[in-house]
Coordinates of all heavy atoms in Angstrom, one line a residue:
I261 N -23.8 25.2 19.2 CA -25.0 25.0 20.0 C -24.7 24.4 21.4 O -25.2 24.9 22.4 CB -26.0 24.0 19.3 CG1 -26.4 24.7 17.9 CG2 -27.0 23.6 20.2 CD1 -27.2 23.7 17.1
R262 N -23.7 23.5 21.4 CA -23.3 22.9 22.7 C -22.8 23.9 23.7 O -23.1 24.1 24.9 CB -22.3 21.7 22.5 CG -22.1 20.9 23.7 CD -21.1 19.7 23.5 NE -19.8 20.2 23.1 CZ -19.3 20.1 21.8 NH1 -20.1 19.5 20.9 NH2 -18.1 20.5 21.5
E263 N -21.9 24.7 23.2 CA -21.2 25.7 24.1 C -22.2 26.8 24.5 O -22.2 27.2 25.6 CB -20.0 26.3 23.4 CG -18.8 25.3 23.2 CD -17.7 25.7 22.3 OE1 -17.8 27.0 22.0 OE2 -16.9 25.0 21.9
A264 N -23.0 27.3 23.5 CA -24.0 28.4 23.8 C -25.0 27.9 24.9 O -25.4 28.6 25.8 CB -24.6 28.9 22.6
T265 N -25.5 26.7 24.6 CA -26.5 26.1 25.4 C -26.0 25.9 26.9 O -26.6 26.1 27.9 CB -27.2 24.9 24.8 OG1 -27.6 25.1 23.6 CG2 -28.3 24.4 25.7
Q266 N -24.8 25.3 26.9 CA -24.1 25.0 28.2 C -24.1 26.3 29.0 O -24.4 26.4 30.2 CB -22.7 24.4 28.1 CG -22.1 24.1 29.4 CD -20.8 23.3 29.2 OE1 -20.4 23.0 28.1 NE2 -20.1 23.2 30.3
L267 N -23.6 27.4 28.4 CA -23.5 28.7 29.0 C -24.8 29.2 29.5 O -24.9 29.7 30.7 CB -22.8 29.7 28.1 CG -21.3 29.6 27.9 CD1 -20.8 30.5 26.8 CD2 -20.5 29.8 29.2
A268 N -25.8 29.0 28.7 CA -27.1 29.5 29.0 C -27.6 28.8 30.2 O -28.2 29.3 31.2 CB -28.1 29.4 27.9
L269 N -27.4 27.5 30.2 CA -27.9 26.7 31.4 C -27.2 26.9 32.6 O -27.8 27.0 33.7 CB -27.8 25.2 31.1 CG -28.7 24.6 30.0 CD1 -28.4 23.2 29.6 CD2 -30.2 24.9 30.4
E270 N -25.8 27.1 32.5 CA -25.1 27.5 33.7 C -25.5 28.9 34.3 O -25.4 29.1 35.6 CB -23.6 27.4 33.4 CG -23.1 26.0 33.1 CD -21.8 25.9 32.6 OE1 -21.1 27.0 32.1 OE2 -21.1 24.8 32.7
R271 N -25.8 29.8 33.4 CA -26.3 31.1 33.9 C -27.6 30.9 34.7 O -27.9 31.8 35.6 CB -26.5 32.1 32.8 CG -25.2 32.7 32.2 CD -25.6 33.9 31.4 NE -26.4 33.5 30.2 CZ -25.9 33.3 29.0 NH1 -24.6 33.2 28.8 NH2 -26.8 33.0 28.1
D272 N -28.4 29.9 34.4 CA -29.6 29.7 35.2 C -29.3 28.8 36.4 O -30.3 28.4 37.0 CB -30.6 29.1 34.3 CG -31.5 30.1 33.5 OD1 -32.4 30.6 34.1 OD2 -31.2 30.4 32.4
G273 N -28.2 28.5 36.7 CA -27.9 27.8 37.9 C -27.7 26.3 37.9 O -27.5 25.6 38.9
F274 N -27.7 25.8 36.6 CA -27.4 24.3 36.4 C -26.0 24.0 36.3 O -25.2 24.8 35.8 CB -28.2 23.9 35.1 CG -29.6 24.0 35.1 CD1 -30.2 25.1 34.5 CD2 -30.4 23.0 35.7 CE1 -31.6 25.2 34.4 CE2 -31.8 23.1 35.8 CZ -32.4 24.2 35.1
V275 N -25.7 22.8 36.8 CA -24.3 22.2 36.6 C -24.4 21.5 35.3 O -25.3 20.5 35.3 CB -23.9 21.5 37.8 CG1 -22.5 20.7 37.5 CG2 -23.8 22.2 39.0
V276 N -23.5 21.7 34.3 CA -23.7 21.0 33.0 C -22.5 20.2 32.7 O -21.3 20.6 32.8 CB -23.9 22.1 31.9 CG1 -24.1 21.3 30.5 CG2 -25.3 22.9 32.2
T277 N -22.7 18.9 32.3 CA -21.7 18.1 31.7 C -22.0 18.0 30.3 O -23.2 17.5 29.9 CB -21.6 16.7 32.3 OG1 -21.2 16.9 33.7 CG2 -20.6 15.8 31.7
A278 N -21.2 18.5 29.4 CA -21.4 18.4 27.9 C -20.6 17.3 27.3 O -19.4 17.1 27.6 CB -21.1 19.8 27.3
A279 N -21.2 16.6 26.2 CA -20.5 15.6 25.5 C -20.8 15.8 24.0 O -22.0 16.1 23.6 CB -21.0 14.3 25.9
P280 N -19.8 15.6 23.1 CA -19.9 15.7 21.7 C -20.6 14.7 20.9 O -20.8 14.7 19.7 CB -18.6 16.1 21.2 CG -17.7 15.3 22.1 CD -18.4 15.3 23.5
D281 N -20.6 13.5 21.6 CA -21.2 12.2 20.9 C -21.8 11.3 21.9 O -21.7 11.6 23.1 CB -20.1 11.5 20.2 CG -18.9 11.1 21.1 OD1 -19.0 10.1 21.7 OD2 -17.9 11.8 21.1
G282 N -22.5 10.4 21.4 CA -23.3 9.4 22.2 C -22.5 8.6 23.1 O -22.9 8.4 24.3
L283 N -21.3 8.0 22.6 CA -20.5 7.1 23.5 C -19.9 7.9 24.6 O -19.9 7.4 25.7 CB -19.4 6.6 22.6 CG -20.0 5.4 21.7 CD1 -18.8 4.9 20.7 CD2 -20.5 4.2 22.3
T284 N -19.4 9.1 24.4 CA -18.9 9.9 25.5 C -20.1 10.3 26.4 O -19.8 10.3 27.6 CB -18.3 11.2 24.9 OG1 -17.2 10.9 24.0 CG2 -17.7 12.1 26.0
G285 N -21.2 10.5 25.8 CA -22.3 10.9 26.7 C -22.7 9.7 27.7 O -23.1 9.9 28.8
L286 N -22.7 8.5 27.2 CA -22.9 7.4 28.0 C -21.9 7.2 29.1 O -22.2 6.9 30.2 CB -23.0 6.1 27.1 CG -23.4 4.8 27.8 CD1 -24.7 4.8 28.5 CD2 -23.3 3.7 26.9
E287 N -20.6 7.4 28.7 CA -19.5 7.4 29.7 C -19.8 8.5 30.9 O -19.7 8.2 32.0 CB -18.2 7.6 29.1 CG -17.8 6.4 28.2 CD -16.5 6.8 27.5 OE1 -15.9 8.0 27.7 OE2 -16.0 5.9 26.7
R288 N -20.2 9.7 30.4 CA -20.4 10.7 31.3 C -21.6 10.4 32.3 O -21.6 10.7 33.4 CB -20.6 12.1 30.6 CG -19.5 12.5 29.8 CD -18.4 13.2 30.7 NE -17.4 13.9 29.9 CZ -16.3 13.4 29.4 NH1 -16.0 12.0 29.7 NH2 -15.4 14.0 28.7
F289 N -22.6 9.9 31.7 CA -23.8 9.5 32.4 C -23.5 8.5 33.5 O -23.9 8.7 34.6 CB -24.8 8.9 31.5 CG -26.1 8.4 32.2 CD1 -27.0 9.2 32.7 CD2 -26.2 7.0 32.4 CE1 -28.2 8.7 33.4 CE2 -27.3 6.5 33.2 CZ -28.2 7.4 33.6
R290 N -22.7 7.4 33.1 CA -22.4 6.4 34.1 C -21.5 7.1 35.2 O -21.6 6.6 36.4 CB -21.7 5.3 33.5 CG -22.8 4.5 32.6 CD -22.1 3.4 31.8 NE -23.0 2.5 31.2 CZ -22.8 1.7 30.1 NH1 -21.6 1.6 29.7 NH2 -23.8 0.9 29.7
A291 N -20.6 7.9 34.9 CA -19.6 8.5 35.8 C -20.3 9.5 36.7 O -20.0 9.6 37.9 CB -18.4 9.0 35.1
D292 N -21.2 10.4 36.2 CA -21.6 11.5 37.0 C -23.1 11.4 37.5 O -23.4 12.1 38.4 CB -21.6 12.7 36.0 CG -20.1 13.1 35.6 OD1 -19.2 12.7 36.1 OD2 -20.1 13.8 34.5
R293 N -23.8 10.4 36.9 CA -25.2 10.2 37.4 C -26.0 11.6 37.5 O -26.4 12.0 38.7 CB -25.2 9.4 38.7 CG -24.8 8.0 38.6 CD -25.7 7.2 37.7 NE -25.1 5.9 37.4 CZ -25.7 5.0 36.6 NH1 -26.8 5.3 36.0 NH2 -25.2 3.9 36.3
P294 N -26.3 12.2 36.3 CA -26.9 13.5 36.3 C -28.4 13.4 36.7 O -28.9 12.4 36.7 CB -26.8 13.9 34.8 CG -26.7 12.6 34.1 CD -26.0 11.7 35.0
D295 N -28.9 14.5 37.0 CA -30.4 14.6 37.4 C -31.3 14.6 36.2 O -32.4 14.2 36.4 CB -30.7 15.8 38.3 CG -29.8 15.9 39.5 OD1 -30.0 15.0 40.3 OD2 -29.0 16.8 39.6
I296 N -30.8 15.0 35.0 CA -31.6 15.0 33.9 C -30.6 15.0 32.6 O -29.5 15.4 32.7 CB -32.4 16.3 33.8 CG1 -33.4 16.2 32.5 CG2 -31.7 17.6 33.8 CD1 -34.5 17.2 32.6
A297 N -31.1 14.4 31.5 CA -30.3 14.2 30.3 C -31.0 14.9 29.2 O -32.2 14.7 28.9 CB -30.0 12.7 29.9
L298 N -30.2 15.7 28.4 CA -30.7 16.4 27.2 C -29.9 15.7 26.0 O -28.7 15.9 26.0 CB -30.4 17.8 27.2 CG -30.9 18.7 28.4 CD1 -30.5 20.2 28.2 CD2 -32.5 18.6 28.4
L299 N -30.6 15.1 25.2 CA -30.0 14.3 24.2 C -30.4 14.8 22.7 O -31.6 14.7 22.4 CB -30.2 12.8 24.2 CG -30.1 12.2 25.7 CD1 -30.5 10.7 25.6 CD2 -28.7 12.3 26.2
D300 N -29.4 15.2 21.8 CA -29.7 15.6 20.5 C -30.0 14.2 19.8 O -29.2 13.2 20.1 CB -28.6 16.3 19.9 CG -29.0 16.8 18.5 OD1 -30.1 17.1 18.2 OD2 -28.0 16.6 17.6
V301 N -31.0 14.1 19.0 CA -31.2 12.9 18.1 C -30.0 12.4 17.3 O -29.6 11.3 17.4 CB -32.6 13.0 17.4 CG1 -32.7 11.8 16.5 CG2 -33.7 13.1 18.3
M302 N -29.5 13.4 16.6 CA -28.5 13.2 15.6 C -27.1 13.4 16.1 O -26.6 14.5 15.9 CB -28.8 13.9 14.3 CG -30.1 13.6 13.7 SD -30.3 11.9 13.2 CE -29.1 11.8 11.8
V303 N -26.6 12.5 16.9 CA -25.1 12.6 17.3 C -24.4 11.4 16.8 O -24.9 10.3 16.7 CB -25.1 12.7 18.9 CG1 -25.6 14.1 19.3 CG2 -25.8 11.7 19.6
P304 N -23.1 11.5 16.6 CA -22.3 10.5 16.2 C -22.0 9.5 17.2 O -22.1 9.7 18.3 CB -21.0 11.2 15.6 CG -20.9 12.4 16.5 CD -22.3 12.8 16.7
G305 N -21.5 8.3 16.7 CA -21.0 7.3 17.6 C -22.2 6.4 18.1 O -22.3 5.2 17.7
L306 N -23.0 7.0 18.9 CA -24.2 6.3 19.4 C -25.4 7.3 19.3 O -25.3 8.4 20.0 CB -24.0 5.9 20.9 CG -25.1 5.1 21.6 CD1 -25.2 3.7 20.9 CD2 -24.8 5.0 23.0
D307 N -26.3 7.2 18.4 CA -27.2 8.3 18.3 C -28.1 8.5 19.4 O -28.1 7.6 20.4 CB -28.1 7.9 17.0 CG -29.0 6.8 17.3 OD1 -30.1 6.8 17.9 OD2 -28.7 5.6 16.8
G308 N -28.8 9.7 19.5 CA -29.6 10.0 20.7 C -30.6 9.0 21.2 O -30.8 8.7 22.3

């Protein structure tokens, strides 16, 4: 789902930073300061 959705969003012109778990997502958020966040509810480490 992560790879397919990332490709679909990039085809529509978005720049996508993907993360496999909540802790990595938090690190990416703080480092990249994205314009919007898509968070799956059930992710390991730190839930959505």
Side-chain angles (χ1 to χ4, degrees):
I261 295 176
R262 187 176 65 253
E263 293 171 9
T265 303
Q266 179 174 357
L267 288 173
L269 292 175
E270 289 174 344
R271 282 197 299 268
D272 273 275
F274 296 99
V275 175
V276 181
T277 295
D281 59 78
L283 290 174
T284 303
L286 183 60
E287 292 175 359
R288 296 283 191 272
F289 172 79
R290 288 172 171 168
D292 298 341
R293 292 297 172 181
D295 300 299
I296 187 168
L298 305 180
L299 312 178
D300 183 46
V301 170
M302 301 299 292
V303 290
L306 185 68
D307 65 81

